[in-house]
Amino acid sequence: MTGAVILGVGGSLPERVVTNADLSASLDTSDEWIRTRTGIHTRRWVDAGTSTSDLAVDAGARAMRSAELSTVDAVIVATTTPDRRCPAVGPEVASRLGLIGVPAHDVSAVCTGFLYGLANAVGLIASGAARTVLLIAAETFSTILDPADRSTAVIFGDGAGAIVVGEGEPGGIGPCVLGSDGSGADLIQIPAGEDYFRMSGTEVFRQAVKRMSDVALDVLARTGLGTDDVDHLAPHQANRRISDGVARRMGLPGSKVLTNVTTVGNTAAASIPLLLAEAAADGRVKEGDRVLTVAFGGGLTWGAGTLVWPDVTADFGILGKD
């Protein structure tokens, strides 16, 4: 079977930085309260007029530039916050990237969206339906947050990450193990008829640590790997306590856990590719490193996968600045 590898990596963040002090001015909270419970110091939010597609196009263009490609065979956009309820944002993103005629679609699995999209991309390549796939995960979660709800308003940020997946020797991108449990759909949701995102934080924390550690160990077992074979754990950046809890439950040292939640917050579907783009750009992840990715999100959904990091130069920056 044809294998899949990462050919390019890109990441894009909005320029506006929102500090804990900024939020404390209008919420019953403090910098200490936010840092202690989430590990987040700042996050980035879009300004009015900046859309999910804007971030997605920028991250996608960066990934294609990283891969030194001018076209791809398919585009997948993972998002919880599309520009419109209908149609999907994927075709518009593809068009704005000059990829008119290229098949494009969205994936909606909230914070697990990138891994669900990765499984789709690898499947397209394995089946021969595509030789290259641009996978983008983009979110503007600030647009669906209740500004008076400190349980969510302090956690989430905006951003986009993207990778180009292409044909390669088997083993570059390992199998993805995915799961879901719709009986917990009300734990992470935007209720019908409402505009704001709601989350049952305590139960989500419990579920996230268990589901993420279990599925991460499952994917390692299926690929014949142990925790000692992992160079980096790249978990969904829900909050620092969840990432640390997953690592402890797996028996991984904290030194192997990649994080950027401190400066960008929880960017939902975009968190893993953003983390990978930033870590590759600043040298934390190098060619040949084995990376274990894992996420948990609304649905409920969860997933994990393994990557052998390629020889690529990540293109990571601020929207409209470079």
Side-chain angles (χ1 to χ4, degrees):
M1 182 177 292
T2 302
V5 297
I6 294 176
L7 304 178
V9 184
S12 179
L13 289 167
E15 183 177 7
R16 178 186 173 197
V17 176
V18 178
T19 68
N20 292 343
D22 293 332
L23 296 176
S24 299
S26 59
L27 285 169
D28 179 20
T29 188
S30 66
D31 176 65
E32 181 183 6
W33 189 92
I34 298 169
R35 289 180 185 233
T36 300
R37 286 160 178 77
T38 70
I40 299 168
H41 298 184
T42 62
R43 71 287 294 146
R44 289 180 181 262
W45 286 358
V46 295
D47 290 317
T50 300
S51 65
T52 294
S53 62
D54 293 330
L55 287 169
V57 168
D58 192 50
R62 290 174 184 275
M64 291 182 65
R65 190 162 61 213
S66 170
E68 300 182 350
L69 291 176
S70 59
T71 190
V72 292
D73 298 324
V75 176
I76 300 171
V77 178
T79 186
T80 319
T81 55
D83 294 0
R84 305 174 179 88
R85 292 180 64 183
C86 177
V89 74
E92 180 180 354
V93 169
S95 176
R96 289 176 60 184
L97 287 168
L99 304 173
I100 296 174
V102 172
H105 70 276
D106 288 7
V107 169
S108 178
V110 196
C111 299
T112 321
F114 173 74
L115 289 176
Y116 269 68
L118 183 61
N120 286 353
V122 171
L124 287 171
I125 290 170
S127 70
R131 299 184 64 186
T132 54
V133 179
L134 174 61
L135 170 60
I136 307 168
E139 301 282 18
T140 52
F141 244 74
S142 64
T143 63
I144 60 171
L145 296 176
D146 181 347
D149 181 4
R150 73 171 184 175
S151 68
T152 57
V154 303
I155 296 173
F156 290 91
D158 303 336
I163 62 173
V164 177
V165 180
E167 293 179 328
E169 292 297 319
I173 299 177
C176 289
V177 176
L178 306 172
S180 75
D181 179 4
S183 68
D186 61 345
L187 296 178
I188 302 172
Q189 63 166 323
I190 300 176
E194 297 187 18
D195 296 324
Y196 293 136
F197 175 83
R198 305 292 181 196
M199 182 171 65
S200 302
T202 300
E203 179 60 16
V204 167
F205 182 94
R206 187 186 70 81
Q207 290 254 12
V209 171
K210 182 180 187 306
R211 295 293 191 183
M212 289 171 70
S213 54
D214 285 351
V215 75
L217 290 171
D218 187 6
V219 80
L220 289 178
R222 294 192 191 196
T223 51
L225 300 172
T227 53
D228 289 344
D229 299 309
V230 175
D231 295 304
H232 307 285
L233 174 67
H236 161 53
Q237 300 293 284
N239 69 50
R240 188 58 191 260
R241 290 170 61 218
I242 288 178
S243 297
D244 290 346
V246 171
R248 283 196 303 270
R249 202 164 185 266
M250 294 182 64
L252 280 171
S255 59
K256 289 190 175 185
V257 182
L258 295 173
T259 183
N260 66 351
V261 73
T262 299
T263 55
V264 303
N266 179 346
T267 55
S271 73
I272 291 176
L274 261 176
L275 175 63
L276 293 175
E278 183 179 327
D282 65 23
R284 282 179 286 168
V285 175
K286 299 178 176 62
E287 180 184 2
D289 286 353
R290 190 176 298 279
V291 181
L292 173 62
T293 62
V294 62
F296 174 87
L300 298 168
T301 58
W302 55 87
T306 59
L307 310 168
V308 175
W309 199 252
D311 179 16
V312 296
T313 300
D315 191 329
F316 179 81
I318 306 302
L319 178 66
K321 291 299 180 182
D322 49 6

